[in-house]
Amino acid sequence: MEDLKRTLKQLIIESLNLQGMKPEDIDDNASLFGDGLGLDSIDSLELMVLLERNYGIKIEDAREGRKILTSVQTMAEYIQQNTKAIS
Amino acid sequence: MTQPLYILSACAISAQHTYDATRFLDPVLSVNDGKLFMIDADYARYISPVAIRRMSRMLKAGITAGMKCLEDAGVKTPDGIIIGSARGSVTDMQNFLKDMINMKEEALTPTAFIQSTYNSVNGWLAMMTKCTSYNQTYVHRGFSLELCLLDAQLMLAETTEKKYLLAGGFDELTDEYYIIRDKIGYYKKQMPESQALLNHYDTPGSIGGEGASFFTVTNDADKASCAIHGLQMLLQPTSEALQAAMADMLSQNGLKNEDIDVLVCGMNGDSRNHFLVDPLIATCADKTTIATFKQFSGEYDTASGFGLWLVNYLFVHSCIPTETVYKQGTSDEINNVLLCNITISGDATLVLVKRNSLAG
């Protein structure tokens, strides 16, 4: 799980081009949107594509997506439960 | 043109120090690989960290040049935004197309697609300046910028109220785009040092360039240093047609050849344009100084924006940078300047700019 979260943080930094940020700067439970990492709606689309490309997970339901994309912790838990492992 | 289009401010981001005009051509920046890329400006001054991280270089340059131009004019919210670009954001388009191929049209990211459109810069500028009025993009190859200026002039001619518009143009160079254009003969085979481009007029092709040039234009004569009085676009003219259009434009403004103090000539070093450029230069009076700029900007579809920025520079600073002088004339005044741009495909544009005698 710890390895998964570290990889996920690195993927988030790369795909969202979070310049100057390192995986250790992102708290596992910090909110990705709003006051936490400050991501926006376009980033949420990028994160959904990230899950599809790297883990074969397709989020069809927007309400479910909001819960999954709450934090790195919730994303990692969902990936662990639903991995089809493309990469 | 029925009424002058006053230029209140100008800002360009280019391969030279134009963003900080106090450093213009000091030093001259030159390359020998035929690719004059823009110098990055202080993008973070106008664009938030959240937004800037997903923007391409061209998007950042376009927004920054537009915002600084408005700031220099003291205009917070313009009455319209009119921008021309022949190709839009090429980097974003390339990224999106590469993604489509690599991902077999599945799971495509939205950012590159959203920002690849020709009107991305307009949209961002409108949001940042809270401009909810007229917003237009012209995509018309070598005439894209001139059509913006014409549209601005027509819009301002319809009103007696004082209005301020942001008009400009941008185009981008990428390594891939250079390869494509090279294949269709846009660039020289033996690439000279860019600043010596015009010494190589005996071979076809030019050098690549890119840039963003913006102007705050208005019908308010109060503070502008100069104004556009004539504008002509000529699709692949003959030499005779170009000279006739020039004579016609001067005549409509009560001027003759010898009244032109400076001809700012957008010759691009392509031997195929000799037949247009040589007779034009030959018709210039002894008093006319000929200044050139494509050895500094490179050739791109909206390179005339660099030329118009230079014209504005001449009026604001009342001097002609020696590095730009192709032929020194006898006139020591700068009252009437003619900008003539020649594109690689042989199209030509003429813009007559006069000193604003009504400035308060």
PDB file of all heavy atoms in Angstrom, chain A residues 51-64:
ATOM      1  N   LEU A  51      -6.064   7.201 -13.811  1.00  0.00           N
ATOM      2  CA  LEU A  51      -6.500   5.898 -13.279  1.00  0.00           C
ATOM      3  C   LEU A  51      -6.747   4.904 -14.408  1.00  0.00           C
ATOM      4  O   LEU A  51      -6.401   3.731 -14.307  1.00  0.00           O
ATOM      5  CB  LEU A  51      -7.775   6.074 -12.441  1.00  0.00           C
ATOM      6  CG  LEU A  51      -7.602   6.779 -11.092  1.00  0.00           C
ATOM      7  CD1 LEU A  51      -8.955   6.970 -10.411  1.00  0.00           C
ATOM      8  CD2 LEU A  51      -6.680   5.983 -10.182  1.00  0.00           C
ATOM      9  N   GLU A  52      -7.337   5.404 -15.496  1.00  0.00           N
ATOM     10  CA  GLU A  52      -7.650   4.515 -16.624  1.00  0.00           C
ATOM     11  C   GLU A  52      -6.383   4.028 -17.329  1.00  0.00           C
ATOM     12  O   GLU A  52      -6.230   2.848 -17.620  1.00  0.00           O
ATOM     13  CB  GLU A  52      -8.558   5.262 -17.604  1.00  0.00           C
ATOM     14  CG  GLU A  52      -9.154   4.343 -18.667  1.00  0.00           C
ATOM     15  CD  GLU A  52     -10.132   5.069 -19.577  1.00  0.00           C
ATOM     16  OE1 GLU A  52     -10.563   6.181 -19.236  1.00  0.00           O
ATOM     17  OE2 GLU A  52     -10.447   4.495 -20.627  1.00  0.00           O
ATOM     18  N   ARG A  53      -5.462   4.976 -17.552  1.00  0.00           N
ATOM     19  CA  ARG A  53      -4.235   4.623 -18.279  1.00  0.00           C
ATOM     20  C   ARG A  53      -3.321   3.703 -17.475  1.00  0.00           C
ATOM     21  O   ARG A  53      -2.717   2.790 -18.015  1.00  0.00           O
ATOM     22  CB  ARG A  53      -3.447   5.890 -18.605  1.00  0.00           C
ATOM     23  CG  ARG A  53      -3.954   6.637 -19.792  1.00  0.00           C
ATOM     24  CD  ARG A  53      -3.001   7.748 -20.132  1.00  0.00           C
ATOM     25  NE  ARG A  53      -3.487   8.508 -21.259  1.00  0.00           N
ATOM     26  CZ  ARG A  53      -2.820   9.511 -21.826  1.00  0.00           C
ATOM     27  NH1 ARG A  53      -1.650   9.862 -21.344  1.00  0.00           N
ATOM     28  NH2 ARG A  53      -3.312  10.149 -22.856  1.00  0.00           N
ATOM     29  N   ASN A  54      -3.193   3.986 -16.196  1.00  0.00           N
ATOM     30  CA  ASN A  54      -2.189   3.271 -15.399  1.00  0.00           C
ATOM     31  C   ASN A  54      -2.726   2.068 -14.647  1.00  0.00           C
ATOM     32  O   ASN A  54      -1.968   1.166 -14.294  1.00  0.00           O
ATOM     33  CB  ASN A  54      -1.538   4.238 -14.410  1.00  0.00           C
ATOM     34  CG  ASN A  54      -0.727   5.303 -15.114  1.00  0.00           C
ATOM     35  OD1 ASN A  54       0.404   5.056 -15.512  1.00  0.00           O
ATOM     36  ND2 ASN A  54      -1.326   6.472 -15.306  1.00  0.00           N
ATOM     37  N   TYR A  55      -4.017   2.072 -14.354  1.00  0.00           N
ATOM     38  CA  TYR A  55      -4.561   0.980 -13.533  1.00  0.00           C
ATOM     39  C   TYR A  55      -5.775   0.301 -14.173  1.00  0.00           C
ATOM     40  O   TYR A  55      -6.374  -0.586 -13.579  1.00  0.00           O
ATOM     41  CB  TYR A  55      -4.932   1.508 -12.135  1.00  0.00           C
ATOM     42  CG  TYR A  55      -3.739   2.093 -11.415  1.00  0.00           C
ATOM     43  CD1 TYR A  55      -3.539   3.471 -11.374  1.00  0.00           C
ATOM     44  CD2 TYR A  55      -2.787   1.269 -10.802  1.00  0.00           C
ATOM     45  CE1 TYR A  55      -2.425   4.015 -10.745  1.00  0.00           C
ATOM     46  CE2 TYR A  55      -1.676   1.808 -10.174  1.00  0.00           C
ATOM     47  CZ  TYR A  55      -1.502   3.175 -10.147  1.00  0.00           C
ATOM     48  OH  TYR A  55      -0.399   3.702  -9.527  1.00  0.00           O
ATOM     49  N   GLY A  56      -6.136   0.741 -15.369  1.00  0.00           N
ATOM     50  CA  GLY A  56      -7.260   0.120 -16.071  1.00  0.00           C
ATOM     51  C   GLY A  56      -8.594   0.358 -15.400  1.00  0.00           C
ATOM     52  O   GLY A  56      -9.553  -0.407 -15.605  1.00  0.00           O
ATOM     53  N   ILE A  57      -8.672   1.401 -14.585  1.00  0.00           N
ATOM     54  CA  ILE A  57      -9.909   1.681 -13.853  1.00  0.00           C
ATOM     55  C   ILE A  57     -10.667   2.812 -14.535  1.00  0.00           C
ATOM     56  O   ILE A  57     -10.125   3.905 -14.731  1.00  0.00           O
ATOM     57  CB  ILE A  57      -9.601   2.077 -12.385  1.00  0.00           C
ATOM     58  CG1 ILE A  57      -8.999   0.869 -11.656  1.00  0.00           C
ATOM     59  CG2 ILE A  57     -10.840   2.581 -11.677  1.00  0.00           C
ATOM     60  CD1 ILE A  57      -8.435   1.219 -10.300  1.00  0.00           C
ATOM     61  N   LYS A  58     -11.903   2.538 -14.921  1.00  0.00           N
ATOM     62  CA  LYS A  58     -12.714   3.547 -15.586  1.00  0.00           C
ATOM     63  C   LYS A  58     -13.813   3.985 -14.627  1.00  0.00           C
ATOM     64  O   LYS A  58     -14.617   3.166 -14.174  1.00  0.00           O
ATOM     65  CB  LYS A  58     -13.324   2.949 -16.858  1.00  0.00           C
ATOM     66  CG  LYS A  58     -13.600   3.961 -17.927  1.00  0.00           C
ATOM     67  CD  LYS A  58     -13.856   3.250 -19.257  1.00  0.00           C
ATOM     68  CE  LYS A  58     -13.949   4.271 -20.368  1.00  0.00           C
ATOM     69  NZ  LYS A  58     -13.981   3.641 -21.683  1.00  0.00           N
ATOM     70  N   ILE A  59     -13.846   5.270 -14.294  1.00  0.00           N
ATOM     71  CA  ILE A  59     -14.889   5.772 -13.392  1.00  0.00           C
ATOM     72  C   ILE A  59     -16.042   6.294 -14.244  1.00  0.00           C
ATOM     73  O   ILE A  59     -15.887   7.260 -14.994  1.00  0.00           O
ATOM     74  CB  ILE A  59     -14.342   6.894 -12.475  1.00  0.00           C
ATOM     75  CG1 ILE A  59     -13.160   6.371 -11.652  1.00  0.00           C
ATOM     76  CG2 ILE A  59     -15.432   7.432 -11.564  1.00  0.00           C
ATOM     77  CD1 ILE A  59     -12.443   7.432 -10.851  1.00  0.00           C
ATOM     78  N   GLU A  60     -17.188   5.641 -14.152  1.00  0.00           N
ATOM     79  CA  GLU A  60     -18.335   6.030 -14.980  1.00  0.00           C
ATOM     80  C   GLU A  60     -19.261   6.984 -14.228  1.00  0.00           C
ATOM     81  O   GLU A  60     -19.892   7.845 -14.822  1.00  0.00           O
ATOM     82  CB  GLU A  60     -19.144   4.768 -15.381  1.00  0.00           C
ATOM     83  CG  GLU A  60     -18.298   3.667 -16.028  1.00  0.00           C
ATOM     84  CD  GLU A  60     -18.034   3.904 -17.503  1.00  0.00           C
ATOM     85  OE1 GLU A  60     -18.399   4.977 -18.010  1.00  0.00           O
ATOM     86  OE2 GLU A  60     -17.434   3.011 -18.142  1.00  0.00           O
ATOM     87  N   ASP A  61     -19.352   6.820 -12.916  1.00  0.00           N
ATOM     88  CA  ASP A  61     -20.304   7.582 -12.107  1.00  0.00           C
ATOM     89  C   ASP A  61     -19.583   8.782 -11.465  1.00  0.00           C
ATOM     90  O   ASP A  61     -18.635   8.613 -10.694  1.00  0.00           O
ATOM     91  CB  ASP A  61     -20.876   6.655 -11.022  1.00  0.00           C
ATOM     92  CG  ASP A  61     -21.914   7.362 -10.157  1.00  0.00           C
ATOM     93  OD1 ASP A  61     -22.070   8.584 -10.304  1.00  0.00           O
ATOM     94  OD2 ASP A  61     -22.544   6.682  -9.331  1.00  0.00           O
ATOM     95  N   ALA A  62     -20.035  10.010 -11.798  1.00  0.00           N
ATOM     96  CA  ALA A  62     -19.365  11.220 -11.299  1.00  0.00           C
ATOM     97  C   ALA A  62     -19.394  11.296  -9.770  1.00  0.00           C
ATOM     98  O   ALA A  62     -18.441  11.741  -9.145  1.00  0.00           O
ATOM     99  CB  ALA A  62     -20.030  12.450 -11.900  1.00  0.00           C
ATOM    100  N   ARG A  63     -20.533  10.846  -9.172  1.00  0.00           N
ATOM    101  CA  ARG A  63     -20.636  10.931  -7.697  1.00  0.00           C
ATOM    102  C   ARG A  63     -19.632   9.984  -7.041  1.00  0.00           C
ATOM    103  O   ARG A  63     -18.969  10.330  -6.062  1.00  0.00           O
ATOM    104  CB  ARG A  63     -22.063  10.595  -7.242  1.00  0.00           C
ATOM    105  CG  ARG A  63     -22.920  11.852  -7.138  1.00  0.00           C
ATOM    106  CD  ARG A  63     -24.298  11.510  -6.680  1.00  0.00           C
ATOM    107  NE  ARG A  63     -24.984  10.650  -7.635  1.00  0.00           N
ATOM    108  CZ  ARG A  63     -26.254  10.296  -7.532  1.00  0.00           C
ATOM    109  NH1 ARG A  63     -26.975  10.695  -6.508  1.00  0.00           N
ATOM    110  NH2 ARG A  63     -26.822   9.538  -8.431  1.00  0.00           N
ATOM    111  N   GLU A  64     -19.482   8.823  -7.654  1.00  0.00           N
ATOM    112  CA  GLU A  64     -18.500   7.868  -7.148  1.00  0.00           C
ATOM    113  C   GLU A  64     -17.089   8.442  -7.330  1.00  0.00           C
ATOM    114  O   GLU A  64     -16.240   8.329  -6.445  1.00  0.00           O
ATOM    115  CB  GLU A  64     -18.629   6.549  -7.931  1.00  0.00           C
ATOM    116  CG  GLU A  64     -17.780   5.440  -7.373  1.00  0.00           C
ATOM    117  CD  GLU A  64     -17.717   4.225  -8.301  1.00  0.00           C
ATOM    118  OE1 GLU A  64     -17.989   4.371  -9.507  1.00  0.00           O
ATOM    119  OE2 GLU A  64     -17.397   3.140  -7.808  1.00  0.00           O
TER     120      GLU A  64
END
